[in-house]
Amino acid sequence: MDALNSTLSGFAAMSGWEYAAVALSVAYLLLAMRESLWCWPAAFFSTLIYTLMYWQGALLMESLLHFYYMGMAIYGWWAWRYGKERSQSQGIVSYRLRTHAWLIAATALIAVCIGYVMDNYTRADYAYLDSLTTCFAVLTTYFVAKKVLENWLYWVVIDAASIYLYLAKGYYPTVVLFVFYTFMAITGYLRWRQQYQQKEQGVPAYA
């Protein structure tokens, strides 16, 4: 009962800005699943709010990550809008397992190094977990912009780890968002895989 009361109090204490960021993030995900160009403006404004919120909450790497997301939202808009013809001709792509293996190893190494610095020389909380989720999210956001099929599988793992991090910090609406993200990432992967297989088989894909 105490845990429930604490959770409900946490929801009540959250600002309207966090709820706005959650709503925009949900819009981004749903639009990205449909490969809609309008996912990127939703991403930009949600990440602007989170950049400020996480900086105030001493999740420094998460704050920097969302600042990066803002830049990627601009790039994603440009890539999907002005690279439309190239995007349509190439569509969704898939990377080899070997490529993913070395990318994962390199990203993990970078994350551990950054985590060490953040843990010893800054006020960051949960420095290593914060760094891991941040570094892999940087990589995975690039995958989204390039329409790499496996980006959704990366998000499943990142979102699950982020749930623990945000629970620990008391960001309860964002916890709910990331639970939703985890399930929707699975749905996104299945949707994109179907479209990828249709492209490989030469079958027209329909929305």
Side-chain angles (χ1 to χ4, degrees):
M1 183 61 69
D2 289 341
L4 177 60
N5 289 335
S6 177
T7 300
L8 292 175
S9 297
F11 274 101
M14 294 299 101
S15 70
W17 285 109
E18 184 177 358
Y19 285 108
V22 168
L24 288 166
S25 297
V26 170
Y28 159 74
L29 180 61
L30 295 176
L31 291 168
M33 287 174 60
R34 297 184 62 84
E35 299 182 71
S36 170
L37 180 66
W38 293 100
C39 71
W40 297 112
F44 179 87
F45 288 108
S46 68
T47 55
L48 173 61
I49 296 170
Y50 276 125
T51 297
L52 300 174
M53 187 181 77
Y54 290 141
W55 184 265
Q56 292 177 345
L59 292 178
L60 304 187
M61 289 301 295
E62 288 293 318
S63 181
L64 292 175
L65 169 63
H66 282 75
F67 184 77
Y68 162 80
Y69 281 166
M70 291 169 60
M72 286 302 295
I74 297 171
Y75 170 76
W77 171 273
W78 180 88
W80 287 25
R81 174 66 178 85
Y82 296 103
K84 187 175 182 180
E85 292 182 1
R86 183 179 64 183
S87 176
Q88 287 180 338
S89 65
Q90 293 182 348
I92 298 167
V93 300
S94 179
Y95 287 173
R96 295 179 179 178
L97 182 60
R98 182 174 61 182
T99 300
H100 286 293
W102 76 259
L103 284 172
I104 290 171
T107 305
L109 178 61
I110 293 170
V112 169
C113 293
I114 293 175
Y116 176 83
V117 173
M118 300 298 289
D119 189 41
N120 288 278
Y121 301 103
T122 74
R123 62 185 180 91
D125 292 338
Y126 304 95
Y128 286 100
L129 180 58
D130 192 9
S131 296
L132 282 167
T133 56
T134 298
C135 289
F136 276 98
V138 166
L139 174 65
T140 308
T141 303
Y142 177 78
F143 284 171
V144 176
K146 292 298 184 181
K147 295 189 177 181
V148 178
L149 170 63
E150 293 80 13
N151 88 83
W152 298 105
L153 299 180
Y154 282 71
W155 284 128
V156 169
V157 178
I158 294 168
D159 293 344
S162 297
I163 289 169
Y164 172 81
L165 182 62
Y166 298 144
L167 272 174
K169 292 297 295 183
Y171 295 136
Y172 297 110
T174 302
V175 169
V176 174
L177 171 65
F178 271 74
V179 170
F180 173 76
Y181 268 4
T182 303
F183 288 102
M184 293 306 294
I186 296 171
T187 303
Y189 173 74
L190 295 175
R191 182 184 178 94
W192 278 34
R193 187 180 67 175
Q194 181 183 36
Q195 294 178 2
Y196 175 75
Q197 290 173 341
Q198 288 175 338
K199 184 195 74 172
E200 291 296 292
Q201 295 168 4
V203 178
Y206 300 97

